[in-house]
Amino acid sequence: MIRKKTATWLDKETVPLENFIDMIDVETIYIAYENEKMIGFLTLYVPDQFIHLFFVDADSQGSGIGSQLLKVVETDIAEGTISLKCLMYNETAIKFYQKKGFLITETHEETPETGYHVMMKSI
């Protein structure tokens, strides 16, 4: 549900749940709960220390949940470099990552909807 509400750039009908499950099958998943409700999650492809998916429920954004998830991942990694891709038009996420020490290392301008930055942070 979080992904469907916050991944506004995706056509929800073209990405079946099975495809989503296949994408994260080889990743470590970090989940944040409030009471019994999932309010955020992050998936990490450990061999490359690459954050694949990172979502926080729209109602919980700005509450520190994303920062807490990221901190746990960084603690688990302990050293090296962590990377991710962020859509260019997602200015809120770009600012969040920059505040957390990520730098834009590459930019891939495909279309306004699909252009993205590669962002990295040394741990």
Side-chain angles (χ1 to χ4, degrees):
M1 201 63 178
I2 293 172
R3 178 183 66 95
K4 286 187 175 186
K5 286 184 181 178
T6 59
T8 56
W9 64 92
L10 290 175
D11 178 354
K12 301 341 175 251
E13 304 308 314
T14 63
V15 183
L17 182 59
E18 294 78 25
N19 290 11
F20 178 72
I21 291 169
D22 289 343
M23 287 189 292
I24 63 170
D25 190 40
V26 295
E27 300 178 8
T28 300
I29 303 171
Y30 298 83
I31 302 173
Y33 289 95
E34 184 174 80
N35 298 317
E36 294 185 20
K37 177 186 175 192
M38 181 172 61
I39 56 172
F41 71 93
L42 182 154
T43 69
L44 180 74
Y45 182 68
V46 176
D48 293 337
Q49 296 186 168
F50 177 77
I51 294 174
H52 181 206
L53 302 170
F54 192 0
F55 297 98
V56 174
D57 183 88
D59 294 335
S60 297
Q61 290 180 3
S63 68
I65 298 301
S67 296
Q68 290 175 16
L69 283 167
L70 192 56
K71 184 175 182 177
V72 171
V73 170
E74 290 175 359
T75 300
D76 285 355
I77 289 173
E79 64 181 8
T81 302
I82 189 169
S83 63
L84 56 90
K85 292 180 182 177
C86 186
L87 291 171
M88 291 172 58
Y89 75 82
N90 192 345
E91 294 176 16
T92 302
I94 292 167
K95 288 177 185 174
F96 169 80
Y97 293 126
Q98 288 174 326
K99 183 178 176 184
K100 299 302 175 190
F102 284 81
L103 301 173
I104 296 172
T105 58
E106 296 176 33
T107 298
H108 298 265
E109 294 186 53
E110 298 166 354
T111 70
E113 295 81 27
T114 62
Y116 64 92
H117 297 299
V118 175
M119 301 182 78
M120 301 181 92
K121 178 182 179 179
S122 295
I123 306 293

